[in-house]
Amino acid sequence: MGDITFLILKRLGFGLMTLLIVSIVIFFAVELLPGDIAETVLGQAATAETVEAFRNKIGLNRPAFVRYFEWLSGAVTGDFGVSLVTDNPVGNAIAERLSNTLFLATYAAVIAVPVAIFLGILVALLRNTIFDRLTNIATLASISSPEFFVAYILIIYLSVKTGFFPPIANLSGNMSFPELLTRTFLPALTLVLVTTAHMMRMTRAAIINLLAEPYIEMARMKGVSRWKVIVRHTLPNAWAPIITVVALNMAYLITGVVLVEVVFVYPGIGQLLVDAVSKRDFPIVQACCLIFAATFILLNLAADVGAILSNPRLRNPK
Amino acid sequence: MSIENKTEFILEMRGLCVDGYSNEGWMPILKGIDLNLRRGEILGLIGESGAGKSTLGAAAMGYVRDGTRFASGSVNFDGIELTFATEAQKNALRGARIAYVAQSAAASFNPAHKLIDQHCEAPLQHRLRTKTAAQKDAIQLYEQLRLPNPKEIGFRYPHQVSGGQLQRAMTAMAMSCRPDLLIFDEPTTALDVTTQIDVLSAIRDIVRVYNTAAIYITHDLAVVAQMADRIKVLLRGKEIEEAPTRNMLLSPQEEYTKSLWAVRRFKSPSKPAPKEGEKSLVSLHNIHASYNKNDKIVDDVSFEIFKGMTVAVVGESGSGKSTIARVMTGLLPPDQGNVRRMDKPLPLHYKSRSREQLRQIQMIYQMADTALNPKIPVCEIIGRPAEFYSGLQGAELKGRVEELLELIELDPAEYYNRRPSELSGGQKQRIGIARALAADPEIIICDEITSALDQLVAEGILRLLDRLQRELNMTYMFITHDLATVRAIADFIVVMKDGKVIEKGTKEEVLRPPHHSYTELLLSSVPEMDPDWLSDLLKQRG
């Protein structure tokens, strides 16, 4: 077990290093944006004095690296500074939006991951049949259409024409859980449709890749049925690539949902980011980017650890 | 549909044809095989690779691999016609009444499950035993197959168990439902000779105890002589002849069988010993080497190689013999010790060696398949080192490549532009030899170069190397686990075990009694073409 703990700690260390580098990139990328932040935020009507006062207030006159370290030390303790537009702490603004996004991501993942893996197994079993080809075409179609397009199609058919689900996923504090699930069903379904194909195809490929292994032939020579051959003998050895692609899709569900949130007017972190960019509210932009980066790194780390744990050689050393 | 027709035979094949799909469409693999097997009888199937032995073994289970199909003929197992049977009917037989033991146990056990779970799969699948009963039975079989710690070993994963033990565990697994028929597909080919003995005797005892009929597939005549009651010889999908084992060994009728029997008669004539005071071409001095600090692979190894001689480094897998080759070529700098050429130290890391020093030592590898780039034509594979080391260009280079192809007995006109995928195993290995020769080396290291080849082909390679040695005064270091190869070609022998040199000397010194006890064990473990060899040996060893 010592080896695995060491491996995980090593990966964790690399993850933190990456995050540090990303934080530098984010901070200075925002610095490099053209135009003066104070002027942009205050608008064209601002006088020279108010601009100067604003610059002093948010510390723009001090060297960038000093501000970077202040920002970084704040971020480590969860303090991302104050919104330039509302004067509220960034942390508060983000917390609610992030939890909304995480909810939607979980909702979509809980449906998409089991469905994708089950379908992947099924098409691997029925490979090169009509069912396999049709599933292939359907999933390819859904993966190739832009998600806003998928979203509008769903709105037309499941909302406008039939009225099953509300077309807009606005939230209010006192909704019951079933109502919450109904309200957010269409955005969740959109995300399911755009992520399932990727995971399903990887599951299919990972399984088919292993079917030429001698232990698969051995299992068939023992009279094990085709379904059990796949589930019992192939799947346990196919987890590593499947876990990786699941983690990548989870990261996408958190960081890549801006368009879906905009279409359904869902108050998630993606919307917040878009608003903040258009208002030049840089503390929020920086915080969002850092959270996105951390999500990616964390999920990749989880995928690595999952892949390691799924390998019996590493789990049970000699 | 199944045709019920009980006979005295457990398995009958009539005119069996199996086709395989290739670029040219469906081509026959088996061309009309007849086969009868009585209950409790062991039939040895022998032939070179491509003879269709494995296909025949699988067909006995009604199984055709992907890309193959039954074309005509019948396979009748105890009154059930397998070529007509549905998948469900065949699944009911497989594992329960017909079981399979594959060549590589390491690859044929699922790495994700414990041995005993894989063992119990068939009895549970076929509802023959409860899980507890199946586990108890597994432990009993492990005991009968003389596995160490029979109570505990099943609860390990495949990678935690050695190759010889895995092979016995697989035999135990095949016995789990007490089948009527066992198919052994080269079960000991991947094992060391000393391990092979344990597995062979364990297999032989268990099929006798349970009176199980078996088909034993192998390319090794000496092995089949120990195991089989009858032997059937196959060549390119056709039966050459069949006879009871003793008759077959004493008086093979067909030319092809005789040529198989005559193989291994090749012996390189001995060469004059190096003169007193002659400097060795390459020498190793107190080499210690490891891949990580805690795990020493080579432990204080020293020996010398003289010009024009063949030194054979012999040992079982894990003895460190391939590591020695890596040290000599500079791929793995040793922890201690040095490598000398004509008594001058060579830099230990290949990156510090000059091009001239690199040229002097070349290698040929075991798996020609993986050592040759399949996308590159032969002329480039051989031309590249000739160009790199000798700076040849254009017509000169072409001439040199053609000369090399002639040296390895391949017609330049035909083979110059071929790719490795268009060559047979033996031809690929010849290209490997030509590639090494292209550098015009002083010494060639041959790492198990014949162990993946059929015996007839391997013998051809040994003859070629011997001829080249005489013509070019070439020096070889031959790494092998096969003592027959050593007998055929070596002048000097270095015996290794667990990274140490156990014994070294001229061939006569090492092979003539009295032997060192480990050398004796190795020598006596090489199967002989005498059906009583295994029984006598086991009696001797007690």
Side-chain angles (χ1 to χ4, degrees):
Chain A
M1 248 359 234
D3 283 357
I4 291 191
T5 322
F6 177 72
L7 257 174
I8 292 173
L9 286 177
K10 204 167 99 180
R11 292 286 160 89
L12 203 59
F14 279 130
L16 284 175
M17 291 260 292
T18 319
L19 197 56
L20 191 70
I21 294 168
V22 170
S23 76
I24 295 173
V25 173
I26 291 172
F27 187 87
F28 289 96
V30 171
E31 283 296 309
L32 285 175
L33 285 181
D36 185 274
I37 294 173
E39 281 175 15
T40 325
V41 170
L42 293 177
Q44 295 197 336
T47 63
E49 289 82 46
T50 50
V51 167
E52 189 55 32
F54 187 77
R55 292 177 69 91
N56 274 329
K57 182 179 142 214
I58 64 168
L60 275 183
N61 292 332
R62 287 178 300 141
F65 70 91
V66 173
R67 283 181 289 122
Y68 169 71
F69 282 111
E70 282 176 6
W71 174 69
L72 187 67
S73 55
V76 169
T77 58
D79 172 15
F80 291 97
V82 177
S83 161
L84 297 183
V85 179
T86 63
D87 269 346
N88 288 330
V90 172
N92 291 1
I94 285 182
E96 194 198 334
R97 296 300 196 96
L98 183 62
S99 70
N100 285 344
T101 293
L102 287 178
F103 167 75
L104 189 59
T106 316
Y107 192 1
V110 163
I111 301 173
V113 173
V115 165
I117 291 177
F118 178 76
L119 272 181
I121 295 171
L122 204 61
V123 290
L125 187 71
L126 303 173
R127 62 190 175 284
N128 305 330
T129 60
I130 289 289
F131 176 76
D132 180 26
R133 302 241 162 87
L134 287 179
T135 319
N136 231 337
I137 291 170
T139 52
L140 271 178
S142 78
I143 210 174
S144 339
S145 334
E147 54 254 62
F148 63 83
F149 178 72
V150 175
Y152 285 128
I153 297 279
L154 289 179
I155 290 177
I156 289 176
Y157 286 100
L158 294 181
S159 180
V160 178
K161 292 205 169 175
T162 56
F164 291 153
F165 300 98
I168 288 178
N170 56 344
L171 304 178
S172 62
N174 50 4
M175 268 190 301
S176 68
F177 190 62
E179 197 186 343
L180 182 66
L181 289 184
T182 320
R183 284 253 180 125
T184 52
F185 183 74
L186 284 188
L189 185 61
T190 311
L191 292 174
V192 168
L193 285 177
V194 292
T195 52
T196 301
H198 196 193
M199 293 188 281
M200 186 204 86
R201 290 171 65 81
M202 183 53 96
T203 306
R204 177 187 188 273
I207 288 175
I208 288 179
N209 211 6
L210 292 175
L211 289 179
E213 293 289 324
Y215 58 78
I216 299 301
E217 176 158 280
M218 191 71 218
R220 298 190 58 191
M221 297 286 206
K222 285 198 283 185
V224 178
S225 68
R226 282 156 52 85
W227 176 253
K228 279 188 186 159
V229 164
I230 299 238
V231 174
R232 201 188 291 157
H233 288 276
T234 319
L235 199 54
N237 296 296
W239 280 127
I242 297 175
I243 290 173
T244 308
V245 73
V246 166
L248 274 178
N249 277 287
M250 298 284 286
Y252 167 80
L253 285 178
I254 295 169
T255 64
V257 294
V258 180
L259 286 174
V260 175
E261 288 181 359
V262 171
V263 171
F264 291 98
V265 204
Y266 183 81
I269 198 166
Q271 279 255 10
L272 181 69
L273 178 63
V274 172
D275 291 348
V277 168
S278 61
K279 290 179 190 152
R280 299 270 170 138
D281 197 347
F282 298 112
I284 288 187
V285 174
Q286 286 167 339
C288 287
C289 290
L290 201 60
I291 286 172
F292 286 173
T295 308
F296 254 101
I297 290 167
L298 207 67
L299 282 167
N300 271 306
L301 181 75
D304 281 356
V305 173
I308 290 170
L309 291 181
S310 77
N311 183 339
R313 283 165 199 272
L314 288 166
R315 227 178 331 121
N316 307 283
K318 284 203 172 183
Chain B
M1 183 178 81
S2 69
I3 301 159
E4 291 285 334
N5 177 25
K6 295 244 177 199
T7 62
E8 60 172 315
F9 299 113
I10 186 80
L11 182 75
E12 274 187 274
M13 294 184 182
R14 287 287 164 269
L16 180 68
C17 295
V18 174
D19 289 349
Y21 197 78
S22 70
N23 294 336
E24 296 118 63
W26 289 99
M27 302 291 284
I29 299 176
L30 293 179
K31 303 164 188 165
I33 299 288
D34 292 327
L35 181 150
N36 294 323
L37 188 66
R38 286 185 187 80
R39 285 159 214 279
E41 188 187 33
I42 304 183
L43 174 72
L45 266 187
I46 197 147
E48 298 175 78
S49 48
K53 317 186 286 288
S54 271
T55 310
L56 185 55
M61 307 186 73
Y63 185 88
V64 281
R65 295 193 164 82
D66 285 343
T68 60
R69 66 173 187 198
F70 286 122
S72 62
S74 79
V75 179
N76 195 299
F77 172 79
D78 203 18
I80 305 164
E81 178 52 51
L82 294 182
T83 51
F84 291 138
T86 63
E87 202 60 20
Q89 283 173 317
K90 286 188 278 192
N91 273 346
L93 291 178
R94 288 180 194 151
R97 300 194 58 202
I98 317 174
Y100 181 75
V101 178
Q103 173 169 3
S104 164
S108 297
F109 271 113
N110 191 322
H113 299 296
K114 290 174 183 160
L115 295 180
I116 202 155
D117 292 339
Q118 302 190 47
H119 182 108
C120 297
E121 193 174 11
L124 290 177
Q125 165 89 20
H126 299 292
R127 299 176 199 284
L128 294 170
R129 283 179 231 276
T130 63
K131 178 139 197 205
T132 351
Q135 286 198 350
K136 234 175 107 187
D137 185 59
I139 290 167
Q140 190 207 329
L141 283 169
Y142 292 154
E143 218 162 279
Q144 281 178 316
L145 284 158
R146 298 189 285 278
L147 279 162
N149 293 328
K151 289 204 172 61
E152 177 268 336
I153 194 163
F155 295 93
R156 294 198 217 160
Y157 286 89
H159 69 272
Q160 297 169 317
V161 178
S162 76
Q165 293 171 2
L166 274 181
Q167 202 67 47
R168 276 178 280 168
M170 189 155 64
T171 307
M173 182 162 84
M175 293 301 297
S176 64
C177 300
R178 303 296 184 277
D180 301 312
L181 172 61
L182 274 171
I183 313 290
F184 290 98
D185 193 354
E186 306 247 13
T188 62
T189 306
L191 302 177
D192 285 317
V193 280
T194 50
T195 323
Q196 172 169 271
I197 298 219
D198 300 334
V199 176
L200 287 180
S201 64
I203 289 178
R204 201 171 64 168
D205 292 350
I206 199 111
V207 292
R208 279 187 190 160
V209 166
Y210 294 105
N211 196 31
T212 315
I215 294 179
Y216 196 101
I217 298 167
T218 178
H219 66 273
D220 190 334
L221 288 164
V223 165
V224 86
Q226 312 310 312
M227 307 303 284
D229 302 315
R230 272 186 303 142
I231 296 179
K232 186 193 272 297
V233 182
L234 290 187
L235 175 65
R236 290 188 214 104
K238 277 196 184 132
E239 176 182 320
I240 296 295
E241 62 178 314
E242 184 190 310
T245 301
R246 275 168 208 278
N247 299 358
M248 186 67 112
L249 290 177
L250 288 175
S251 55
Q253 299 299 310
E254 299 296 320
E255 275 312 306
Y256 175 71
T257 320
K258 284 179 191 159
S259 78
L260 278 181
W261 267 227
V263 118
R264 305 261 154 167
R265 302 261 166 85
F266 171 68
K267 236 181 197 122
S268 163
S270 54
K271 303 175 191 91
K275 288 179 217 79
E276 199 67 30
E278 184 186 325
K279 273 186 194 167
S280 56
L281 176 64
V282 179
S283 55
L284 300 172
H285 300 267
N286 306 96
I287 298 286
H288 294 255
S290 58
Y291 293 99
N292 65 52
K293 287 278 174 295
N294 319 321
D295 209 6
K296 190 173 265 189
I297 304 291
V298 171
D299 186 359
D300 198 21
V301 166
S302 311
F303 60 85
E304 298 178 300
I305 302 175
F306 289 95
K307 179 91 191 137
M309 295 287 165
T310 300
V311 173
V313 180
V314 198
E316 298 178 79
S317 48
S319 61
K321 41 192 204 307
S322 288
T323 309
I324 301 253
R326 294 177 63 85
V327 168
M328 267 175 70
T329 50
L331 289 169
L332 178 74
D335 301 335
Q336 281 177 48
N338 59 65
V339 182
R340 289 162 180 270
R341 178 187 164 271
M342 300 307 275
D343 232 15
K344 291 197 186 66
L346 275 174
L348 294 178
H349 199 287
Y350 75 95
K351 281 188 181 157
S352 340
R353 292 188 187 174
S354 67
R355 189 173 287 200
E356 178 62 16
Q357 285 168 328
L358 290 174
R359 182 185 64 76
Q360 287 154 0
I361 305 178
Q362 293 293 317
M363 259 191 97
I364 311 172
Y365 299 87
Q366 174 174 6
M367 304 300 288
D369 270 326
T370 51
L372 303 180
N373 187 333
K375 300 277 184 218
I376 293 183
V378 163
C379 57
E380 262 182 70
I381 291 175
I382 303 175
R384 165 85 187 131
E387 189 188 337
F388 181 76
Y389 288 114
S390 328
L392 297 177
Q393 295 287 341
E396 261 186 323
L397 183 63
K398 188 162 190 272
R400 173 71 177 146
V401 170
E402 283 169 353
E403 183 192 357
L404 286 163
L405 281 171
E406 266 158 29
L407 265 180
I408 56 164
E409 296 156 15
L410 292 180
D411 180 11
E414 193 177 341
Y415 292 96
Y416 190 82
N417 278 317
R418 290 237 192 144
R419 284 167 211 277
S421 54
E422 299 163 307
L423 301 174
S424 71
Q427 288 169 340
K428 279 183 222 173
Q429 201 53 286
R430 281 169 192 256
I431 300 298
I433 295 172
R435 179 170 64 179
L437 286 175
D440 195 14
E442 293 181 331
I443 176 167
I444 298 180
I445 301 174
C446 306
D447 191 354
E448 300 271 14
I449 61 167
T450 56
S451 54
L453 301 174
D454 285 319
Q455 294 182 17
L456 284 172
V457 180
E459 200 201 45
I461 296 283
L462 293 184
R463 285 183 193 276
L464 170 68
L465 286 172
D466 188 58
R467 205 199 80 219
L468 291 171
Q469 183 162 50
R470 276 160 216 291
E471 286 174 12
L472 309 171
N473 197 23
M474 189 54 67
T475 311
Y476 298 128
M477 180 167 104
F478 228 90
I479 294 168
T480 181
H481 68 276
D482 181 8
L483 284 150
T485 308
V486 173
R487 280 207 180 91
I489 202 166
D491 302 303
F492 287 85
I493 299 177
V494 178
V495 183
M496 286 190 67
K497 182 176 195 280
D498 302 331
K500 292 193 180 69
V501 172
I502 297 288
E503 200 179 6
K504 61 183 172 186
T506 62
K507 174 157 77 173
E508 288 69 30
E509 284 165 2
V510 174
L511 294 184
R512 191 183 303 143
H515 305 296
H516 182 281
S517 61
Y518 179 69
T519 314
E520 169 69 34
L521 177 72
L522 275 184
L523 285 171
S524 66
S525 300
V526 178
E528 286 167 23
M529 298 265 284
D530 163 11
D532 301 319
W533 168 80
L534 183 61
S535 315
D536 293 348
L537 181 77
L538 292 171
K539 233 178 272 164
Q540 266 175 36
R541 290 192 183 168

